[in-house]
Amino acid sequence: EAQVTQNPRYLITVTGKKLTVTCSQNMNHEYMSWYRQDPGLGLRQIYYSMNVEVTDKGDVPEGYKVSRKEKRNFPLILESPSPNQTSLYFCASSRYLGQGRGGSYEQYFGPGTRLTVT
Amino acid sequence: GQQVMQIPQYQHVQEGEDFTTYCNSSTTLSNIQWYKQRPGGHPVFLIQLVKSGEVKKQKRLTFQFGEAKKNSSLHITATQTTDVGTYFCAGEGGSWGKLQFGAGTQVVVTP
């Protein structure tokens, strides 16, 4: 079954304790992205990756790190979480069709990770 | 920088009525996608528009991309209770691969 998996699904942690949220896709997609969702703000892109070893900042990258060592995995790292990073996080992947801008992004989203930082 | 705005934020619809949600960008978009998120769920891809003036239909849903590629709309006819959820638009504008989502239109359907 084609899917994007995230772990953990729920996490409560304390300020400053490093954590990693894993994301894995089994569709051989080139494009992967992380979003956070907060009430009234929609989805905001944190980081994205066009392919292995290629990552770029989205609109809200502060306080986050990512890596793309393999095509299927795109972990999100919070080195020193703070309460303002309490949010619902989604990972997504897409087969990118096209060259340059204007290509196709049919994003498949993971189930989400609800993170609470106290 | 690029901003994507969506209106209305909330939409209460009587079952059987039509409604439209609008997406406006401050800059020209390369493409625009629409997603639907059911309560408690994750966003699900509906469609992507790439060409200026493009119109696509999916059953009762009609999607349009403006001539200037700065706005888009989603029109739903004969709303059903299954249409409940939040509809998001997302556009690629400034940088290749960088996608910006609107804040979404939350749709509530009254039987």
Side-chain angles (χ1 to χ4, degrees), chain A residues 42-103:
Chain A
L43 292 130
R44 292 180 292 168
Q45 193 176 44
I46 303 171
Y47 272 95
Y48 61 98
S49 169
M50 300 299 288
N51 215 322
V52 176
E53 301 293 357
V54 179
T55 62
D56 282 292
K57 296 178 181 179
D59 280 333
V60 289
E62 296 77 20
Y64 304 94
K65 287 174 60 176
V66 293
S67 67
R68 186 94 183 271
K69 294 186 173 65
E70 308 163 282
K71 201 170 190 178
R72 64 183 293 129
N73 296 323
F74 191 44
L76 179 70
I77 303 157
L78 285 72
E79 294 271 2
S80 183
S82 62
N84 64 13
Q85 292 178 299
T86 292
S87 187
L88 177 59
Y89 290 87
F90 287 103
C91 178
S93 75
S94 171
R95 184 179 168 211
Y96 182 71
L97 300 175
Q99 293 182 343
R101 291 170 56 188

Side-chain angles (χ1 to χ4, degrees), chain A residues 9 23 37 57 69 71 98 100-101 106 110 118:
Chain A
R9 293 290 312 280
C23 173
Q37 185 171 30
K57 296 178 181 179
K69 294 186 173 65
K71 201 170 190 178
R101 291 170 56 188
E106 182 178 335
T118 61

Side-chain angles (χ1 to χ4, degrees), chain B:
Chain B
Q2 175 197 338
Q3 283 197 329
V4 176
M5 310 293 287
Q6 241 182 296
I7 53 170
Q9 189 176 3
Y10 300 100
Q11 182 79 56
H12 287 80
V13 189
Q14 197 84 19
E15 194 172 12
E17 291 182 340
D18 301 354
F19 79 88
T20 303
T21 174
Y22 300 90
C23 185
N24 298 297
S25 171
S26 57
T27 60
T28 302
L29 300 171
S30 303
N31 53 58
I32 195 158
Q33 305 134 49
W34 285 90
Y35 296 83
K36 177 183 178 181
Q37 184 177 25
R38 294 183 188 276
H42 58 271
V44 175
F45 176 84
L46 294 176
I47 209 158
Q48 174 169 272
L49 305 170
V50 178
K51 298 176 184 175
S52 170
E54 190 170 12
V55 178
K56 288 188 177 180
K57 292 189 177 184
Q58 287 181 350
K59 297 182 181 177
R60 296 178 295 103
L61 279 60
T62 302
F63 303 85
Q64 190 164 7
F65 201 9
E67 293 290 341
K69 301 182 75 172
K70 295 177 77 171
N71 55 69
S72 180
S73 64
L74 160 59
H75 180 78
I76 301 182
T77 58
T79 305
Q80 300 176 357
T81 54
T82 53
D83 295 324
V84 164
T86 301
Y87 294 82
F88 294 98
C89 63
E92 180 187 46
S95 303
W96 183 24
K98 191 171 184 179
L99 301 177
Q100 283 205 331
F101 277 73
T105 294
Q106 185 180 347
V107 176
V108 175
V109 180
T110 308

